[in-house]
């Protein structure tokens, strides 16, 4: 079947995440999505608007996307667009072959929706009547029509440039198509709302973002995921929900356990019906990990500690004094659990180590998905490129901005086929005097507390 | 938790512990059996990463063959599923046969943190 145009209606949030999410899910299912209408420059602008026209080979692909991508509101078979209704109708008449099959006896209804402008009942009726030339003979069915025809009026903004209210008909563009799929994944944002979770903490990732992260990993049944900084488990719930099995570890066992006997992460996972797919939780420092071998995981998904709310630390001692005797085997005290000393883990070293670790621990073609906090003013793409090691390639880089700083969701694929040994986790000691540009995220913690001056 | 699959994937990485550091010896264990939905693909995918001998020896019965079989039919994968995912070590200790480091398991979560003198 020849590829067709589809009108995608997107949520107006997390604009940079839209295309990566789409591409990720299309890749998971093994079908292409055609972006031919847009150049790379166009894309940066068009993702700020709700409508995009993309090519798909089959209607079923639209349903698969709408069922999984949380940024999709709905998908229509695209018929026509125009900057006026006259232009739209002319274009619509030219594609009669797409909709004439519905003329004889298909029950239908029209919906007319305005973006950035409310449309009165009267206006909606007038718009619908302007399509009378289509001559549909079937019954009008408001509740369960066989097809729904969608008319969209997109206004530039919610006010005109002069500050006055929008005038009916003075829209940027109108679109018309036949509803193929409603975005059913969006309701998961409510399902995973952190405030309703059985166990969460102040570092728990918000629902929308943990869902986007899970989609970047292409989580699916049969796959194995790992979060080495699992904390309160936010990313485990969404990846497990999509069918994957998950391992989690953290240097701080209390974050995983909470105060009750049943570990908090397991209680929250049970709330979502996915407790069985959390295989195990372990307390350890990923830089001194106990994994017997590498190449275990289809994806590593994590929000590493930036050192701001959660202490970014690793085993070791901050100040190693020359006059101090070497560390002794600790005297066992039956009343006190032994707590080993920790030292700070500077962010750019942590990130470089994480990428090396992922190369060791991912299967070939596996994906590393993580957040990188960055300083808006000094960020440069090379900050991420320079953290890569051989055999790891950037797939996506989407920013969630908070003004003077932001966090970037990075997706990296392991393109190397060979196995690598477990890294030594000493990126902090690598002499980078040769590089001219210190990444924006270096010493992020200090920069954050100084207000990014 | 701790499931037998996990026990099969953990070794002791204390400083200098590079041989005879797997599998960890289980001691003073409290076991629970918990039913779990079978996922064919998951079991099939993890199979190549398992240390078969260690798994069978830990299991200590004849429900799994001594040698990893060539043919992996559904019946075999179901038995493997039971061993890997349905047997939980809820309390106990895992001890490194080489350096004797003791990793305690509490409420199904093992503490694999190393002491200061073990991180080098």
């Amino acid at each position: 079947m020849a590829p067709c145009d589809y009108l995608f209606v997107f949520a107006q949030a997390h604009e940079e995440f839209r295309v990566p999410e789409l591409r990720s899910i299309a890749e998971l299912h093994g079908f292409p999505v055609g972006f031919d209408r847009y150049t790379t420059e166009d894309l940066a602008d068009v993702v700020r608007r709700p409508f995009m026209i993309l090519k798909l080979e089959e209607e079923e692909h639209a349903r698969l996307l709408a069922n999984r991508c949380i940024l999709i509101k709905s998908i229509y078979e695209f018929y026509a667009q125009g900057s006026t209704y006259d232009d739209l109708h002319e274009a619509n008449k030219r594609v009669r072959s797409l909709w004439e099959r519905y003329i004889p006896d298909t029950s239908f209804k029209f919906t007319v929706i305005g973006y950035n402008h409310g449309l009165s009942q009267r206006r909606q009726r007038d718009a619908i009547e302007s399509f009378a030339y289509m001559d549909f003979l079937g019954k009008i069915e408001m509740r369960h029509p066989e097809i729904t025809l969608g008319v969209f009026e997109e206004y530039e903004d919610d006010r005109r440039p002069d500050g006055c209210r929008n005038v009916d008909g003075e829209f940027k563009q109108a679109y018309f198509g036949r509803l193929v799929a409603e975005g059913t994944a969006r309701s998961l944002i409510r399902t995973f709302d952190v405030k309703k979770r059985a166990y969460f903490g102040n570092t728990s990732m918000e629902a929308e973002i943990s869902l986007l992260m899970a989609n970047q990993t292409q989580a699916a049944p049969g796959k194995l995921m790992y979060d080495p900084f699992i904390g309160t488990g936010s990313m485990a719930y969404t990846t497990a929900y999509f069918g994957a099995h998950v391992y989690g570890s953290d240097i701080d066992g209390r974050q995983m356990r909470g105060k009750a006997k049943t570990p908090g992460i397991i209680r929250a996972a049970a709330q979502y019906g996915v407790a069985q797919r959390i295989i195990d939780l372990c307390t350890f420092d990923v830089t001194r990990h106990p994994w017997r071998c590498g190449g275990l995981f289809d994806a590593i998904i994590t929000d590493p500690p930036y050192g701001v709310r959660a202490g970014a630390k690793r085993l070791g001692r901050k100040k190693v004094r020359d006059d101090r005797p070497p560390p002794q085997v600790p005297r066992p005290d039956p009343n006190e659990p032994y707590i080993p000393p920790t030292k700070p883990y500077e962010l750019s070293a942590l990130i470089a180590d994480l990428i090396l670790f992922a190369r060791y621990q991912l299967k070939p073609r596996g994906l590393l998905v993580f957040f990188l906090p960055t300083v808006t003013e000094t960020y440069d793409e090379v900050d991420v490129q320079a953290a890569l090691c051989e055999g790891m390639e950037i797939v996506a880089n989407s920013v969630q901005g908070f003004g003077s700083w932001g966090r970037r969701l990075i997706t990296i694929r392991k393109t190397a086929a060979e196995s690598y040994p477990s890294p030594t986790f000493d990126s902090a000691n690598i002499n980078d005097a040769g590089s001219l540009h210190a990444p924006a995220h270096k010493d992020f913690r200090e920069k954050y507390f100084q207000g990014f001056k | 938790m701790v499931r037998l699959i996990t026990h099969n994937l953990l070794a002791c990485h204390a400083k200098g512990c590079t041989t005879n550091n797997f599998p960890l010896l289980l001691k003073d264990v409290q076991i629970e059996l918990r039913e779990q939905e079978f996922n064919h693909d998951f079991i099939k995918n993890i199979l190549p990463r398992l240390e078969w001998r260690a798994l069978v020896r830990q299991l200590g019965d004849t429900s799994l063959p001594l040698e990893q079989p060539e043919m992996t039919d559904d019946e075999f994968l179901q038995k493997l599923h039971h061993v890997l995912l349905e047997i939980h070590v809820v309390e106990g200790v895992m001890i490194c046969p080489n350096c004797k480091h003791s990793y305690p398991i509490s409420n199904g979560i093992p503490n694999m943190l190393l002491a200061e003198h073990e991180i080098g």
Side-chain angles (χ1 to χ4, degrees):
Chain A
M1 203 186 140
C4 276
D5 284 326
Y6 288 85
L7 175 67
F8 281 64
V9 185
F10 288 100
Q12 288 276 83
H14 307 305
E15 57 201 42
E16 284 201 17
F17 295 71
R18 180 190 293 185
V19 172
E21 184 186 40
L22 208 54
R23 287 202 160 120
S24 183
I25 299 306
E27 192 180 273
L28 168 62
H29 290 290
F31 60 77
V33 179
F35 288 84
D36 353 325
R37 283 184 184 237
Y38 310 105
T39 63
T40 326
E41 292 77 39
D42 289 338
L43 272 183
D45 285 323
V46 83
V47 293
R48 291 196 204 115
R49 316 287 313 175
F51 302 100
M52 286 177 77
I53 298 161
L54 306 171
K55 270 199 162 45
L56 294 173
E57 287 180 349
E58 283 174 46
E59 226 169 83
E60 180 55 23
H61 298 168
R63 278 187 280 275
L64 288 169
L65 289 171
N67 182 250
R68 179 79 188 246
C69 295
I70 65 151
L71 295 178
I72 293 179
K73 282 180 140 168
S74 50
I75 304 178
Y76 290 72
E77 181 187 11
F78 175 67
Y79 289 157
Q81 69 183 93
S83 41
T84 63
Y85 270 105
D86 283 343
D87 287 349
L88 185 146
H89 289 310
E90 247 191 76
N92 190 34
K93 285 169 187 166
R94 284 201 292 273
V95 293
R96 190 191 166 85
S97 59
L98 291 179
W99 44 262
E100 64 182 357
R101 74 200 64 174
Y102 302 114
I103 295 178
D105 58 8
T106 308
S107 65
F108 68 98
K109 80 169 187 190
F110 270 75
T111 56
V112 186
I113 298 171
Y115 272 83
N116 283 329
H117 182 55
L119 301 175
S120 64
Q121 293 280 18
R122 161 106 186 241
R123 170 112 189 111
Q124 290 179 42
R125 252 202 334 270
D126 289 346
I128 294 170
E129 269 160 36
S130 73
F131 287 87
Y133 61 87
M134 290 175 79
D135 257 332
F136 273 29
L137 303 169
K139 265 184 74 183
I140 297 176
E141 262 288 359
M142 291 315 288
R143 287 177 69 222
H144 298 291
E146 283 169 272
I147 63 167
T148 298
L149 295 152
V151 185
F152 298 93
E153 292 182 15
E154 183 195 354
Y155 292 76
E156 181 74 52
D157 219 317
D158 34 8
R159 290 265 147 176
R160 289 193 336 193
D162 59 11
C164 295
R165 297 184 69 233
N166 281 314
V167 172
D168 281 352
E170 284 180 19
F171 45 74
K172 184 177 150 87
Q173 193 76 189
Y175 302 89
F176 180 57
R178 174 183 61 87
L179 180 64
V180 164
E182 299 265 34
T184 48
R186 284 195 68 66
S187 64
L188 292 176
I189 298 169
R190 268 192 317 279
T191 308
F192 285 99
D193 182 5
V194 177
K195 293 189 292 295
K196 294 192 248 145
R197 198 172 287 174
Y199 177 65
F200 64 91
N202 70 337
T203 58
S204 296
M205 181 63 73
E206 72 231 46
E208 234 168 316
I209 299 292
S210 58
L211 286 160
L212 287 170
M213 291 178 84
N215 277 343
Q216 287 305 115
T217 66
Q218 298 182 24
K223 293 192 181 178
L224 186 55
M225 317 260 126
Y226 174 44
D227 186 347
F229 302 101
I230 194 172
T232 52
S234 304
M235 274 66 84
Y237 311 128
T238 50
T239 46
Y241 181 83
F242 291 129
H245 286 74
V246 192
Y247 267 107
S249 66
D250 203 288
I251 198 171
D252 187 355
R254 295 165 303 178
Q255 287 269 300
M256 300 186 289
R257 290 179 194 274
K259 301 220 170 87
K261 188 160 184 284
T262 309
I265 291 182
I266 303 303
R267 283 187 289 117
Q271 180 188 344
Y272 304 122
V274 303
Q276 287 193 342
R277 287 201 285 276
I278 313 289
I279 303 189
D280 261 297
L281 304 168
C282 302
T283 305
F284 60 77
D285 174 356
V286 69
T287 73
R288 298 286 185 260
H289 68 80
W291 294 112
R292 165 173 62 72
C293 60
L296 286 172
F297 302 109
D298 295 282
I300 292 175
I301 176 175
T302 196
D303 183 30
Y306 315 154
V308 172
R309 282 175 306 173
K313 55 187 197 231
R314 54 183 299 190
L315 292 178
R317 210 173 265 280
K318 193 172 180 179
K319 288 193 180 74
V320 182
R321 284 164 46 182
D322 292 331
D323 58 344
R324 200 180 242 164
Q328 304 293 315
V329 177
R331 258 178 307 139
D333 182 336
N335 301 318
E336 289 296 316
Y338 172 67
I339 298 170
T342 57
K343 61 182 179 182
Y345 202 173
E346 189 275 316
L347 187 65
S348 65
L350 188 158
I351 297 300
D353 285 340
L354 175 64
I355 295 173
L356 284 163
F357 174 74
R359 185 176 66 175
Y360 160 68
Q361 217 18 307
L362 285 173
K363 296 179 183 170
R365 312 279 311 150
L367 295 164
L368 166 63
V369 178
F370 69 100
F371 260 111
L372 176 71
T374 185
V375 183
T376 310
E377 212 183 297
T378 49
Y379 168 76
D380 192 279
E381 221 180 296
V382 75
D383 289 355
V384 192
Q385 291 286 353
L388 293 178
C389 52
E390 197 187 341
M392 296 291 273
E393 278 177 23
I394 298 177
V395 171
N397 176 349
S398 311
V399 74
Q400 189 187 20
F402 302 118
S404 54
W405 74 287
R407 57 184 179 189
R408 293 186 163 270
L409 184 60
I410 312 287
T411 305
I412 293 176
R413 167 171 280 127
K414 175 174 169 176
T415 51
E418 322 85 74
S419 350
Y420 286 82
S422 182
T424 47
F425 296 99
D426 57 5
S427 293
N429 298 337
I430 287 168
N431 187 358
D432 61 350
S435 76
L436 297 159
H437 174 88
H441 56 271
K442 190 166 200 305
D443 300 317
F444 182 80
R445 182 181 190 279
E446 284 67 30
K447 289 174 182 166
Y448 181 96
F449 287 119
Q450 282 160 32
F452 302 110
K453 293 192 188 57
Chain B
M1 318 198 305
V2 174
R3 290 176 160 95
L4 280 195
I5 180 178
T6 309
H7 175 259
N8 195 264
L9 294 173
L10 296 176
C12 178
H13 284 160
K15 182 166 80 160
C17 221
T18 47
T19 57
N20 197 26
N21 58 352
F22 170 85
L24 303 174
L25 305 166
L26 283 166
K27 205 172 135 232
D28 300 333
V29 296
Q30 220 180 296
I31 309 272
E32 271 180 37
L33 293 179
R34 296 183 196 151
E35 245 184 73
Q36 169 134 355
E37 204 182 315
F38 171 67
N39 184 307
H40 174 276
D41 286 339
F42 173 72
I43 302 295
K44 203 163 140 254
N45 291 339
I46 200 67
L47 186 50
R49 310 311 286 147
L50 297 174
E51 264 292 329
W52 191 258
R53 286 285 171 84
L55 182 67
V56 174
R57 238 181 297 127
Q58 187 55 64
L59 187 58
D61 66 28
T62 52
S63 55
L64 291 177
L66 274 171
E67 296 288 333
Q68 190 173 326
E70 300 263 330
M71 302 280 286
T72 52
D73 60 2
D74 237 55
E75 197 194 322
F76 164 75
L77 290 177
Q78 298 241 11
K79 282 209 200 101
L80 185 55
H81 158 85
H82 170 71
V83 170
L84 291 178
L85 297 180
E86 293 186 333
I87 304 172
H88 298 248
V89 180
V90 182
E91 301 283 330
V93 180
M94 295 190 288
I95 301 173
C96 174
N98 187 45
C99 71
K100 315 295 178 212
H101 182 119
S102 216
Y103 299 100
I105 300 171
S106 158
N107 284 331
I109 298 182
N111 182 341
M112 314 291 299
L113 290 172
L114 298 174
E116 191 182 353
H117 68 288
E118 293 171 319
I119 59 177

